[in-house]
């Protein structure tokens, strides 16, 4: 979706200086938009007008539909400008605002999503809301013009009713967003209950969980892998493997360029919503890497490599570091993923007859396609395997694979000539930190130095541009290259709990990948800042926004302790996991105490969240299982072999730490790790050795890969 509206007539509104791509796209609309700010609320209260709140995103198709139908309509704009103070919010830029008003609209209408349309009292309390409203009555929804006039009338003539509704909704937000449930037992039995509830929703025919629409649930998948590999849960293992296989073969996966679309509208993963999100692909990349670690499944490795290739080619600032936020689904409102889909005639124009014969079978390209708006358009998905295609056409598997490879190159080259969907080049701190972790895990497992180097470049940029080196971490590293159009620099948005927690993980991973102590020292500072700013020392667990950010506006007065993965891993378990990891290498017991208290805060209720509690289950697993450290010392091929053995099989409580011999000196390693390594004498004449530690107990150093393998297989896990 092209967001350049500079050619549109009219005077720019209050978004003229916005940095966000989504807000900039509305700067020439006739609606007198305000950004989320104290000034906007002061205007509403000064004029005693209700607030019309629109929350959306640059990648959101229906947000653009509502913009074109309603917010670019002169009559609708007149009604809004007369009766309301209008505020527009980018949900990626302000997830804290979005989370609360999503809860409000869900309480009002029973559903959420984007665009989110809410009607607020002048101080920001919602009294009515919904999602997409059409310009006129249709789709079983009231027309937006009628809704606007009705809600204005409610405020003007039935104000007590509006205020009562607002009070009720705010109570619902505070109740729904302040999860607490002490009393449950933090043990492997709780983790297994969460895993079992996820398995109960597994679609054994198509993979994934539940029916349509189907979203990927990466944290839930990693939890299933954890209990499959480490406790022999075969049902969990099947759910993990089948889901990854089906998603990678479906249309929800870009069969030409790599990368996953946001979700599938059908249960078979065939027809997606075509936008691609950074955070979905970072976590799915980790799923496929972890799957390859555990099952040596070549398709998992190939999918991981293709996701990385898509990131590298499309979604990254190669020179400076950084991962872009999203790629839009559409070029205009008149298409629905046309950039990504193909008619049979389009494929025929690009491919030779022998290639078309293979490609049409392999990717299911036919005269009748999959898209509702244009039935001739096909979403490429793998209906048959290479072996099945070879059997059907009587060719060798090698010839079929060559035809697939050449067809992919030609189709991708032809697609590149089409207008390209808009890429939001905003660099968000938390999402970039997630990408750093995913890239570093990929680099370590698949032995890809260039992937590691780009991750470290990105993290260095994040720490330099979004962090002051002490307490203040910001939510945005950098906006797109057209940001603010020469206007004053945008106001820095304070980082959320997610930003701190994901960056803390990234710093730990970067230290492990590079041995640069600056990353470890940054992790310590960020951990202390996260506890100081977000932790509730009285009731336990973390708030999603800092407790020292001044007077909150609107629904931000509702305190929120995030527990559910929606869709990124939830802030509280992510923070707890990071602190548990940091305690294991630093020896600072207060980190573990805060993590344990955080997880205990939800232990009595979390099993009811099932599919949305994957990251909690993984954090609890880290806590209740003894940490396993495999420390490999050396810099030659023998050390490489020991490290590869240590990395085999995913386990969330296992870390493989590679140390160069020159680092074996006081002050060159984190405290707890230094005590372990320096107090165990190196084997005589050994160039490489490994130390296996479980909890606080370490085995003597070993040099023989077979002995290391035996130590890893035979030593039992102990729970705490």
């Amino acid at each position: 979706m092209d967001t350049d509206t500079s050619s549109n007539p009219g005077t720019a509104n209050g978004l003229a200086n916005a940095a966000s791509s989504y807000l900039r796209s509305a700067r020439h609309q006739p609606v007198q938009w305000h950004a989320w700010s104290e000034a906007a609320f002061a205007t509403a209260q000064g004029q005693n007008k209700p607030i019309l709140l629109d929350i959306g995103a640059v990648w959101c198709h229906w947000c653009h539909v509502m913009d074109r139908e309603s917010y670019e309509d002169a009559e609708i704009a007149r009604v809004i400008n007369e009766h309301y103070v209008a505020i527009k919010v980018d949900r990626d830029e302000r997830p804290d605002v979005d989370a609360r008003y999503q809860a409000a609209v869900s309480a009002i209408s029973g559903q959420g999503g984007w665009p989110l349309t809410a009607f607020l009292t002048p101080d920001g309390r919602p009294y009515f809301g919904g999602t997409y409203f059409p310009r006129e009555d249709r789709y079983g929804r009231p027309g937006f013009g009628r809704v606007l006039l009705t809600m204005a009338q409610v405020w003007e003539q039935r104000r007590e009713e509006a205020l009562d509704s607002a009070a009720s909704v705010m109570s619902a937000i505070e109740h729904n967003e302040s999860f607490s449930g002490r009393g449950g037992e933090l043990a492997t039995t709780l983790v297994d209950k969460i895993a079992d509830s996820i398995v109960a929703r597994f679609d054994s025919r198509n993979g994934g969980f539940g029916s349509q629409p189907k979203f990927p649930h990466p944290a839930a998948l990693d939890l299933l892998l954890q209990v499959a590999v480490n406790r022999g849960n075969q049902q969990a293992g099947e759910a993990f493997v089948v889901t990854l296989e089906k998603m990678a073969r479906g249309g929800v996966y870009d069969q030409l360029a790599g990368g996953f679309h946001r979700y599938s509208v059908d249960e078979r993963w065939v027809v997606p919503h075509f936008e691609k999100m950074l955070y979905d692909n970072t976590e799915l990349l980790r799923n496929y890497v972890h799957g390859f670690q555990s099952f040596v499944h070549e398709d998992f490795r190939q999918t991981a490599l293709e996701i990385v290739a898509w990131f590298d080619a499309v979604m990254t600032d190669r020179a400076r570091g950084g991962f872009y936020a999203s790629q839009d689904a559409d070029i205009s409102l008149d298409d629905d993923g046309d950039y990504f889909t193909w008619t049979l005639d389009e494929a025929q124009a690009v491919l030779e007859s022998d290639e078309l014969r293979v490609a049409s079978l392999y990717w299911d390209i036919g005269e009748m396609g999959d898209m509702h708006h244009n039935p001739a358009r096909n979403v490429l998905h793998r209906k048959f395997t290479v072996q099945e295609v070879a059997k059907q056409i009587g060719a060798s598997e090698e010839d079929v694979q060559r035809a697939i490879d050449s067809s992919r190159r030609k189709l991708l080259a032809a697609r590149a000539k089409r207008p390209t969907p808009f890429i939001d080049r905003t660099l968000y701190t938390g999402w970039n930190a997630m990408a750093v972790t995913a890239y570093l895990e990929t680099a370590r497992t698949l032995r890809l130095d260039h992937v590691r180097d780009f991750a470290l470049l990105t993290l260095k940029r994040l720490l330099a541009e979004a962090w002051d080196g002490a307490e203040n971490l910001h939510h945005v590293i950098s906006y797109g290259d057209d940001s603010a159009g020469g206007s004053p620099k945008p106001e820095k948005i304070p980082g959320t709990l997610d930003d701190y927690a994901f960056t803390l993980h990234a710093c730990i991973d970067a230290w492990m990948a590079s041995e640069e102590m600056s990353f470890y020292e940054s992790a310590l500072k960020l951990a202390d800042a996260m506890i100081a700013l977000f932790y509730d020392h009285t009731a336990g667990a973390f708030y999603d926004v800092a407790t020292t950010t001044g007077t909150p506006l609107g629904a931000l007065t509702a305190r929120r302790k995030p527990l559910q993965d929606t869709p990124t891993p939830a802030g509280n378990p992510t923070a707890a996991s990071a602190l548990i990891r940091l305690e294991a290498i630093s020896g600072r017991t207060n980190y573990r105490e805060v993590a344990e208290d955080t997880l205990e805060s939800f232990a009595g209720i979390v099993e009811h969240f099932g599919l949305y509690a994957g990251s909690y289950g993984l954090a609890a697993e880290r806590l209740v299982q003894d940490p396993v450290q495999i420390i490999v010392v050396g810099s030659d091929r023998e050390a490489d072999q020991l490290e590869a053995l240590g990395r085999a099989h995913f386990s969330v409580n296992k870390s493989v730490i590679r140390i160069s011999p020159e680092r074996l000196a006081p002050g060159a390693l984190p405290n707890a790790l230094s005590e372990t390594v320096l107090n165990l004498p190196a084997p005589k004449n050994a160039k490489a050795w490994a130390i296996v530690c479980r909890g606080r107990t370490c085995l003597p150093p070993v040099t023989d890969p077979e002995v290391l393998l035996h130590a890893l297989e035979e030593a039992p896990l102990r729970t705490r």
Side-chain angles (χ1 to χ4, degrees):
M1 175 66 62
D2 186 354
T3 63
D4 183 4
T5 59
S6 57
S7 61
N8 291 353
T11 304
N13 52 40
L15 303 180
N17 295 330
S20 149
S21 296
Y22 178 62
L23 299 188
R24 288 203 313 275
S25 71
R27 58 190 168 183
H28 292 291
Q29 289 174 358
V31 176
Q32 291 303 306
W33 291 113
H34 297 71
W36 179 273
S37 63
E38 291 183 2
F41 281 86
T43 298
Q45 292 172 50
Q47 297 179 6
N48 197 23
K49 283 185 177 181
I51 292 169
L52 172 68
L53 176 66
D54 171 81
I55 302 180
V58 71
W59 45 263
C60 166
H61 172 79
W62 287 102
C63 299
H64 297 309
V65 171
M66 195 162 175
D67 278 338
R68 183 174 72 174
E69 289 181 346
S70 295
Y71 296 133
E72 294 173 11
D73 180 89
E75 177 58 24
I76 289 289
R78 184 193 64 77
V79 173
I80 294 172
N81 295 337
E82 179 180 345
H83 295 284
Y84 298 92
V85 171
I87 297 178
K88 204 171 188 74
V89 170
D90 181 339
R91 65 88 43 215
D92 294 343
E93 186 182 46
R94 293 303 305 257
D96 53 341
V97 175
D98 177 63
R100 286 158 176 78
Y101 286 104
Q102 289 290 344
V105 169
S106 293
I108 292 167
S109 67
Q111 64 178 13
W114 304 280
L116 182 137
T117 309
F119 297 85
L120 319 179
T121 63
D123 61 356
R125 293 173 294 155
Y127 64 90
F128 184 71
T131 53
Y132 163 76
F133 289 100
R135 173 67 176 85
E136 309 295 342
D137 294 3
R138 68 177 184 274
Y139 309 130
R141 295 171 183 257
F144 193 44
R146 182 156 63 91
V147 173
L148 286 168
L149 290 172
T150 300
M151 289 302 107
Q153 186 180 54
V154 167
W155 179 252
E156 292 163 5
Q157 300 178 13
R158 296 148 56 193
R159 187 162 302 181
E160 287 303 316
E161 182 181 330
L163 293 173
D164 288 345
S165 176
S168 176
V169 172
M170 286 299 294
S171 295
I173 296 174
E174 291 168 358
H175 175 74
N176 291 338
E177 297 300 310
S178 299
F179 299 113
S180 82
R182 291 185 182 272
E185 182 183 2
L186 265 177
T188 54
T189 52
L190 176 60
V191 178
D192 290 338
K193 285 179 181 178
I194 297 171
D196 288 344
S197 69
I198 297 170
V199 170
R201 298 187 62 179
F202 171 56
D203 178 353
S204 59
R205 179 184 180 89
N206 301 300
F209 307 95
S211 58
Q212 79 279 4
K214 271 189 177 165
F215 288 82
H217 292 275
L221 287 166
D222 265 358
L223 180 61
L224 295 185
L225 181 62
Q226 173 72 18
V227 299
V229 171
N230 296 283
R231 291 206 275 288
N233 187 322
Q234 294 183 355
Q235 289 180 307
E238 179 189 1
F240 176 89
V241 170
V242 171
T243 297
L244 263 62
E245 289 176 344
K246 295 289 188 179
M247 285 195 302
R249 294 173 186 172
V252 75
Y253 182 68
D254 185 343
Q255 297 293 330
L256 298 183
F260 283 89
H261 302 292
R262 194 162 69 94
Y263 69 94
S264 174
V265 301
D266 64 281
E267 71 276 5
R268 297 183 299 121
W269 302 106
V270 173
V271 180
H273 257 220
F274 287 94
E275 60 271 9
K276 291 181 177 179
M277 308 303 299
L278 170 58
Y279 55 76
D280 286 330
N281 283 281
T282 63
E283 301 313 281
L284 285 165
L285 173 59
R286 296 177 69 203
N287 285 154
Y288 284 92
V289 168
H290 296 161
F292 178 71
Q293 270 183 279
S294 302
F295 303 116
V296 200
H297 196 317
E298 180 58 28
D299 281 355
F300 292 169
R301 175 181 175 274
Q302 185 60 34
T303 301
L305 292 174
E306 290 171 2
I307 296 171
V308 169
W310 171 69
F311 273 138
D312 287 353
V314 178
M315 296 294 289
T316 47
D317 182 339
R318 304 309 299 170
R320 301 177 60 200
F323 291 79
Y324 303 143
S326 61
Q327 183 177 30
D328 208 339
D330 311 314
I331 305 303
S332 73
L333 298 180
D334 300 318
D335 78 74
D336 185 1
D338 288 359
Y339 174 81
F340 297 100
T341 58
W342 294 82
T343 66
L344 182 59
D345 287 345
E346 288 172 340
Q348 194 168 19
V350 174
L351 304 178
E352 301 293 336
S353 59
D354 58 334
E355 293 170 330
L356 182 65
R357 185 186 182 198
V358 170
S360 61
L361 280 171
Y362 186 67
W363 285 309
D364 197 23
I365 307 172
E367 291 184 1
M368 290 298 295
D370 311 290
M371 300 304 298
H372 179 74
H373 79 293
N374 183 352
R377 302 205 69 81
N378 295 266
V379 181
L380 303 191
H381 58 281
R382 285 184 268 166
K383 187 174 182 180
F384 299 108
T385 64
V386 171
Q387 294 78 9
E388 289 168 338
V389 172
K391 186 175 181 180
Q392 287 187 55
I393 68 174
S396 70
E397 292 180 16
E398 291 76 12
D399 287 344
V400 168
Q401 187 61 59
R402 275 192 292 270
I404 291 169
D405 293 341
S406 63
S407 296
R408 180 182 284 110
R409 288 193 297 271
K410 291 181 179 180
L411 291 171
L412 193 56
R415 195 176 84 174
K417 296 176 182 178
R418 299 173 178 176
T420 305
F422 177 78
I423 295 170
D424 182 3
R425 290 178 169 79
T426 305
L427 308 182
Y428 289 107
T429 297
W431 297 356
N432 268 260
M434 293 166 70
V436 168
T437 287
Y439 257 44
L440 291 176
E441 288 192 7
T442 302
R444 289 194 296 265
T445 301
L446 304 186
R447 308 291 294 277
L448 301 170
D449 289 348
H450 72 282
V451 173
R452 177 202 62 206
D453 294 344
F454 186 78
L456 296 177
L457 177 66
T458 295
L459 183 58
K460 288 177 180 178
R461 181 178 181 184
L462 185 163
L463 295 174
E465 296 184 22
W467 186 40
D468 68 357
E471 282 198 343
N472 297 313
L473 181 70
H474 304 297
H475 181 60
V476 178
I477 303 168
S478 173
Y479 287 94
D481 40 24
D482 187 34
S483 68
S487 300
K489 288 186 178 181
E491 180 182 353
K492 291 185 179 296
I493 298 170
T496 64
L497 173 62
D498 286 5
D499 294 318
Y500 282 76
F502 287 126
T503 303
L504 178 49
H505 276 288
C507 287
I508 296 170
D509 291 318
W511 168 75
M512 293 174 66
S514 69
E515 300 182 75
E516 293 184 30
M517 285 294 285
S518 61
F519 290 124
Y520 168 70
E521 291 158 2
S522 295
L524 295 176
K525 291 179 182 178
L526 284 165
D528 292 342
M530 183 175 72
I531 293 169
L533 293 173
F534 298 90
Y535 185 59
D536 182 347
H537 290 272
T538 302
F542 290 87
Y543 294 113
D544 65 329
V545 295
T547 56
T548 58
T549 52
T551 303
L553 299 174
L556 289 178
T557 56
R559 305 314 309 272
R560 178 173 179 267
K561 294 179 178 178
L563 170 62
Q564 300 184 80
D565 303 329
T566 54
T568 55
N572 268 288
T574 300
S577 284
L579 293 174
I580 294 166
R581 295 181 69 196
L582 192 54
E583 185 267 343
I585 57 176
S586 70
R588 298 191 181 186
T589 56
N590 65 303
Y591 293 156
R592 182 182 178 87
E593 290 167 358
V594 170
E596 186 169 5
D597 185 61
T598 296
L599 296 176
E600 283 180 345
S601 296
F602 308 106
I605 59 168
V606 69
E607 67 180 88
H608 302 296
F609 292 89
L611 191 59
Y612 302 95
S615 61
Y616 181 95
L618 291 166
E621 188 84 345
R622 286 188 192 274
L623 185 76
V624 301
Q625 299 279 13
D626 269 339
V628 178
Q629 285 184 340
I630 302 157
I631 304 162
V632 177
V633 181
S635 54
D636 58 7
R637 288 188 176 182
E638 293 178 11
D640 291 344
Q641 185 178 10
L642 293 172
E643 182 182 2
L645 281 175
R647 294 200 185 284
H649 304 300
F650 170 74
S651 182
V652 73
N653 59 308
K654 179 178 74 175
S655 57
V656 181
I657 302 170
R658 180 76 172 263
I659 298 175
S660 303
E662 57 268 23
R663 290 280 176 179
L664 298 178
L669 294 171
N671 293 348
L673 195 64
S674 180
E675 291 177 7
T676 298
V677 176
L678 298 182
N679 287 332
L680 289 172
K684 289 184 178 180
N685 302 319
K687 294 182 179 180
W689 63 94
I691 302 167
V692 177
C693 301
R694 294 182 183 273
R696 304 301 179 198
T697 303
C698 297
L699 300 177
V702 299
T703 58
D704 187 332
E706 291 295 328
V707 177
L708 174 60
L709 188 62
H710 179 76
L712 293 173
E713 290 177 345
E714 296 300 321
L717 286 174
R718 293 174 299 175
T719 60
R720 297 190 178 189

